[in-house]
Amino acid sequence: QVQLVESGGGLVQAGDSLMLACAASGRSASISAMGWFRRTPGKEREFAAAISWSGRNTDYANSVKGRFTISRDISKNMMYLQMDSLKAEDTAVYYCAARRAQLATSVFQQVSEYEYWGQGTQVTVSS
């Protein structure tokens, strides 16, 4: 089993930056692809960013492209989401997700494609 724990959420103002972190433990060696999702009240969990095992392939939702940067440190079993130029509409609970994958270059954007999830961390952006 794999455990994922997010950290770094908080209350910031519009235009500020924030970095989220996701720590993986347990059978973390089985993890390949990882991603960040977010959910606002009354809405489904939505894709924000994804990264391959190698870290060389990434993908972003259009709403965050150019403002968010996903990265990972395999040696530390960590994944990060650097969020810049935050907007009020970025307010959400952010979830870390992980899964096994056959290819080191694969990235995944669907909630249903991930096997492991963290508990989430709240990000609130005031306008």
Side-chain angles (χ1 to χ4, degrees):
Q1 192 70 331
V2 173
Q3 292 79 42
L4 302 173
V5 178
E6 303 94 337
S7 61
L11 172 63
V12 296
Q13 293 187 331
D16 285 352
S17 297
L18 202 61
M19 175 175 276
L20 304 183
C22 173
S25 61
R27 298 184 64 181
S28 55
S30 65
I31 291 176
S32 183
M34 299 186 76
W36 287 98
F37 288 76
R38 63 186 186 182
R39 182 169 64 188
T40 55
K43 293 188 176 181
E44 297 292 324
R45 197 172 300 191
E46 66 175 15
F47 168 71
I51 190 166
S52 64
W53 179 88
S54 66
R56 288 184 295 208
N57 296 78
T58 59
D59 193 22
Y60 298 92
N62 288 333
S63 58
V64 308
K65 196 171 294 184
R67 300 187 299 120
F68 289 12
T69 303
I70 189 171
S71 62
R72 65 186 296 182
D73 185 336
I74 296 175
S75 65
K76 296 181 180 179
N77 292 325
M78 295 291 296
M79 178 179 65
Y80 306 96
L81 186 67
Q82 175 66 42
M83 305 185 293
D84 298 320
S85 303
L86 282 162
K87 305 176 181 179
E89 50 263 43
D90 294 319
T91 296
V93 176
Y94 284 73
Y95 298 90
C96 167
R99 59 161 289 158
R100 293 165 290 184
Q102 295 289 341
L103 300 176
T105 55
S106 298
V107 291
F108 301 89
Q109 297 83 16
Q110 304 299 318
V111 170
S112 59
E113 294 179 303
Y114 285 86
E115 302 171 70
Y116 309 107
W117 292 87
Q119 294 299 308
T121 184
Q122 176 71 47
V123 172
T124 302
V125 184
S126 64
S127 58

